[in-house]
């Protein structure tokens, strides 16, 4: 089924000439691969935003998003739950824990391994927006993934 379109409040007569969008839970696409679940809270398929993609990512204990980069987008992660290890360029690593915020510029290599006993959950904000559907359809072991 085609993705549902967000509710534009102006079309409901509640707000005149508004570009407010409400993304309902039923409009949030969820992609999963190798213990990583990526919920597309706001992305090109459910929003008209030309500025950001917002994704909630859940990484199971022991799972990881392999190192990757986004050539034309910067990304900010806000750690909401758990702790893990950032996987950066040149085999560099750094701890990341609940409450931490990390920013990656365009082209920065980044990934995450959940080394804790509970799920690691983070909110990812990407600008300009990326549709991550294709990233979850590729073989992450082959490299070049574009995961969120």
């Amino acid at each position: 089924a085609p993705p549902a379109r967000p509710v534009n409040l102006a079309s409901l007569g509640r707000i005149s000439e508004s570009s407010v969008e409400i993304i309902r839970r039923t409009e949030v696409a969820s992609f999963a691969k190798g213990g990583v679940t990526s919920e597309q809270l706001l992305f090109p398929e459910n929003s008209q935003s030309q500025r950001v993609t917002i994704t909630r990512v859940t990484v199971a204990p022991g799972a990881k998003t392999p190192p990757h980069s986004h050539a034309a987008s910067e990304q900010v992660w806000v750690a909401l739950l758990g702790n893990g290890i950032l996987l950066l360029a040149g085999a560099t690593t750094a701890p990341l824990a609940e409450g931490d915020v990390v920013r990656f510029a365009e082209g920065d290599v980044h990934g995450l391994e959940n080394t804790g006993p509970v799920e690691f959950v983070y909110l990812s904000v990407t600008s300009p927006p990326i549709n991550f559907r294709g990233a979850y359809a590729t073989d992450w072991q082959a490299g070049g993934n574009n995961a969120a």
Side-chain angles (χ1 to χ4, degrees):
R5 297 304 310 161
V7 175
N8 183 307
L9 296 181
S11 69
L12 298 177
R14 295 186 186 149
I15 298 175
S16 61
E17 299 188 29
S18 173
S19 59
V20 172
E21 293 177 332
I22 299 174
I23 312 304
R24 302 289 182 202
R25 180 73 182 124
T26 57
E27 299 163 349
V28 174
S30 183
F31 311 135
K33 181 181 234 56
V36 178
T37 301
S38 181
E39 296 172 279
Q40 307 301 296
L41 304 177
L42 186 132
F43 81 131
E45 291 181 23
N46 70 2
S47 172
Q48 296 178 31
S49 176
Q50 299 298 305
R51 298 200 173 125
V52 296
T53 292
I54 302 176
T55 307
R56 181 175 40 234
V57 181
T58 302
V59 184
K64 70 178 178 179
T65 58
H68 62 280
S69 64
H70 309 289
S73 292
E74 72 175 290
Q75 198 167 64
V76 175
W77 290 359
V78 180
L80 302 175
L81 177 69
N83 55 71
I85 301 293
L86 284 171
L87 309 172
L88 305 170
T92 300
T93 62
L96 188 66
E98 181 176 331
D100 292 346
V101 177
V102 60
R103 176 188 168 269
F104 309 103
E106 296 96 345
D108 282 350
V109 172
H110 58 285
L112 181 116
E113 182 172 1
N114 182 351
T115 56
V118 299
E119 292 179 330
F120 185 93
V121 180
Y122 65 93
L123 196 63
S124 173
V125 180
T126 307
S127 180
I130 294 176
N131 185 333
F132 292 106
R133 183 179 295 279
Y136 283 82
T138 62
D139 179 4
W140 287 4
Q141 302 308 316
N145 89 79
N146 200 24

